[in-house]
Amino acid sequence: MMVDAPEPMSPTWSLHPSGDRSLVILCTHEDPKVANGWCRALARALADDLPAGIDGVVPAMVSVALHYAPDRVLDAAPEPLRDGSSPYAILAEQVWARMAAFDLDRVPAGREITIPVCYGGDYGPDLQEVADISGLTPQEVIALHTAAPVDVLAVGFAPGHPYVGYFDARLSPGRRSSPRSDVPAGTIGLANRQSVIYPTRLPGGWNLIGRTPLVLFDPYRAEPSLLVAGDRVRFVAIDPAAFETLAAGQEGRP
Amino acid sequence: MSGPLSIEVVKPGLLSTFQDLGRRGQQHLGVPLNGVMDERAHRTANWLVGNAPGAATLEMTLLGPNLRFGAPVRIALSGADLSATLNGQPVPLNEAVQAAAGDVLAFGAPKRGIRAYLAVEGGYALEPVMGSMSTNVRAGFGGLGGKPLRKDVSIPLSPAPGRTLPVRGALPAFAADIMREPDAPLRVMAGREHDMFTQESLRAFGAEAYQITPQSDRMGYRLKGPPLERRRTTEMLSEAVTAGTVQVPPDGQPIVLMADCQTSGGYPRIAHVAWVDLPRLAQCAPGARLRFEWIDLAEAQRLAVSQARVFGAMENGTA
C-alpha cells in the first residue's frame, strides 16, 4: 500500500522584544535544524528589504535578531502606524507585513565555499579520539566530514567564527570535558554533528580534528569574514605539504 | 608657536581607548559593537568642540593618562571627574578649553564616576576599520593600532575646521527622568527568558542590592547578590545579545553585558537594562551596589526617544 510522505511541518514564527533596541524573530519547529534553515532564508530576505531604523540583522540558530534605533523607527514609520504605538510595535507590524510577502522557499541559496583542511596530526590532535568515540577509523571520520557541503548555521562567539552543520549522525562526539585555553587559528572543531573554525587563537572546548590555512577573518579585507550565515561549505582534505604551501600564500596579507 | 598636529602620550593611564558610536551592522559576522560606554558624555564632549557625534573620543578609565599637546587645539572633557589638570591648573568638565602647544593634560584621583571622555576639535586622525574608529582590544583592531594607549606613542590629530566654535552656553537639557541621580535604581525591562525565573528571583532582582565585582570590564559587569534561580532548566540555543542584556549563568549571579560584549549568548536573560541608563551604569566602579527597578518596554522606548531628541537637537545646533 502506498503511503503519502507526511507534509513537512511548517514553522511557527513569533516576534519578541529583547531589550529596547532589539526585536527577535523566533522560528519554532520540532527540528531545530529545519528552523535554522528558515532563519537563514529569512535573514537573507530581510537584509534586502529592511524597514528603516535597523542597524543589523543577526541570525542565530533558531532566531533572527534585528537591532534598531527606536527614534529612527518612529520617525520613518508611515503616519497610520505612529498613533501612540511604541517603536517596537511599529517595527513588529512592518516585519510581519514583510514576512507575509516573502516566499522563503524561493530565497536563493548562499555561496558555496571550499575549505581545505589538513586533518589529524598536530593539525587535529583529537582526530583519533573522535574516531574511537564514534566507532570509526580516522579515514572514515575525514570521509564523512568531507562527504557533502554543509551550511553555515550562524557566525558568532568571536569575529568570523562560524558554526557549520549538520554532518552525518555518526559524527556526534560531545564537547570536551575540559576546554583548551589556546586553540590555534584555523583549527576545525567537531561536536554534535557541527563544526566550528577558530578564526584566531582562542580558548575552545570542541574536538580538534584539523586545520585550514585559510584566513577566516581579517578586518582590513573588503569582506572581513570568509563565511556568513547561509553560505555552504565544502571541506576538502589536503596533506601537510599542501597546507604549508597554502599557508605561505596567505602570509604578508595586511 | 605650533609643533606637530599630534598628542604625545607621556603616561598611558590605566585603560584609555578610542571609541565612537560603535561598529554598527557587523554583528552578524560575530564582530562586537564596541563603542563608548557613556554615550551622553561622549556626545557632549564632541558637541562642545563642534565635532559630529560619530567622531571618536578618548575614553579614559579611573586613572587617566598624561598627554602633551604638539600644537594648539581646543579640547573638551566630559563624563567622570578624574581630577583633570592642564599644566597643573584644574580643567573644568563640560567646557571647551584651549590647550597650547606643549601643554600637559594630566589626571589625578577619580572623584566621581570612572570614565571620562576627551574630544579634540577636528577629531583624532585614525583610520576607521569596518566602519568605526572604536578600539576592539580583544581582537586587536580599530582605534590606535587596536590597543589601549601606550607610553610614548603619538596620537595624530585632524586639522580643526578653522571656523569659530559656536558658543556653548547651557549643557544639553536631558529630561530629569533621563539624567537621574547616580545612585537611582537602574531601570530594567523583562528579559527574553524572564518567565524561566522563580517569582522570588524576579522580586529579588527588582528589590535587593547587587554589587559590582572586580571581574567587571567593558565586556560585562559581573554582579554579586541574592542568587537568581530558574523554575526549570530548559536547554537554550544561543541568540543575539546587546549591551544592557542581563544574563544569568548557572551560578545564579547576573552579568550585565556592556559595550564589548559578544554578539550572541546562550545564558537565560532575566532582564535588559534600559538604554538610557547604560551611561549611568558605565560610571559605576567595582564595589558599587546597584539596585534595579522594573519598567515596561514602552516606557524604556519613550525614554530612549526622548534622549534621541536631545541628541538630535545638539546635532542641529538647536540645543
Side-chain angles (χ1 to χ4, degrees), chain A residues 63-82:
Chain A
S63 63
V64 179
L66 304 179
H67 298 319
Y68 65 97
D71 57 303
R72 283 191 277 128
V73 166
L74 197 61
D75 290 344
E79 198 59 53
L81 286 180
R82 268 196 249 174

Side-chain angles (χ1 to χ4, degrees), chain A residues 156-178:
Chain A
F157 175 62
H161 177 279
Y163 296 83
V164 299
Y166 290 87
F167 296 97
D168 187 281
R170 284 169 285 177
L171 295 184
S172 299
R175 293 200 204 181
R176 302 184 70 76
S177 51
S178 56

Side-chain angles (χ1 to χ4, degrees), chain B:
Chain B
M1 217 184 74
S2 188
L5 197 52
S6 62
I7 298 175
E8 301 305 312
V9 179
V10 182
K11 268 168 52 182
L14 187 63
L15 173 68
S16 312
T17 60
F18 292 99
Q19 301 291 342
D20 57 17
L21 295 177
R23 204 158 266 114
R24 286 168 202 266
Q26 310 289 351
Q27 283 63 64
H28 65 294
L29 305 179
V31 175
L33 185 61
N34 305 126
V36 290
M37 294 275 278
D38 182 341
E39 184 180 357
R40 283 194 293 266
H42 160 86
R43 284 179 181 260
T44 301
N46 270 332
W47 175 77
L48 286 163
V49 295
N51 289 348
T57 55
L58 182 64
E59 181 181 282
M60 304 166 290
T61 317
L62 270 168
L63 301 172
N66 277 17
L67 305 171
R68 185 185 294 118
F69 296 94
V73 63
R74 206 110 48 138
I75 64 169
L77 279 168
S78 196
D81 182 351
L82 305 183
S83 303
T85 57
L86 192 62
N87 297 332
Q89 296 302 308
V91 180
L93 285 176
N94 301 322
E95 270 182 40
V97 171
Q98 180 68 48
D103 280 1
V104 174
L105 180 68
F107 294 85
K111 281 187 184 154
R112 183 178 46 77
I114 62 167
R115 287 173 227 276
Y117 293 82
L118 175 67
V120 298
E121 186 185 5
Y124 302 100
L126 304 171
E127 212 48 58
V129 181
M130 296 182 78
S132 166
M133 292 183 184
S134 289
T135 314
N136 182 332
V137 173
R138 183 162 259 248
F141 63 84
L144 196 61
K147 295 188 170 75
L149 278 196
R150 285 158 295 153
K151 187 175 157 53
D152 294 335
V153 299
S154 173
I155 305 163
L157 304 181
S158 299
R163 51 177 165 65
T164 313
L165 267 187
V167 176
R168 304 295 196 198
L171 283 175
F174 293 102
D177 57 5
I178 290 174
M179 291 288 272
R180 289 173 113 193
E181 289 301 309
D183 57 353
L186 294 160
R187 288 160 290 190
V188 290
M189 66 213 93
R192 281 273 293 122
E193 288 80 25
H194 181 266
D195 293 347
M196 270 191 196
F197 291 86
T198 62
Q199 280 304 316
E200 171 50 24
S201 293
L202 294 172
R203 188 208 61 78
F205 188 69
E208 308 293 336
Y210 284 83
Q211 190 170 32
I212 303 176
T213 69
Q215 290 75 47
S216 296
D217 56 20
R218 280 181 46 95
M219 277 187 77
Y221 278 20
R222 289 177 177 269
L223 309 182
K224 189 173 171 2
L228 303 170
E229 284 162 6
R230 282 186 265 170
R231 289 189 283 122
R232 53 179 197 278
T233 49
T234 325
E235 186 166 340
M236 282 186 50
L237 292 169
S238 74
E239 195 176 281
V241 294
T242 59
T245 298
V246 185
Q247 59 178 26
V248 183
D251 69 1
Q253 298 296 327
I255 301 170
V256 187
L257 300 181
M258 300 299 276
D260 284 353
C261 70
Q262 292 180 358
T263 54
S264 58
Y267 290 130
R269 294 156 290 181
I270 192 170
H272 301 272
V273 177
W275 188 257
V276 299
D277 277 350
L278 286 179
R280 206 147 47 83
L281 179 56
Q283 295 296 354
C284 294
R289 294 161 71 81
L290 308 175
R291 286 183 188 275
F292 297 96
E293 174 188 331
W294 294 107
I295 60 170
D296 63 19
L297 172 65
E299 172 66 358
Q301 294 203 317
R302 185 190 67 74
L303 293 165
V305 171
S306 159
Q307 175 175 270
R309 296 297 179 238
V310 179
F311 290 161
M314 289 163 71
E315 216 172 321
N316 300 330
T318 52

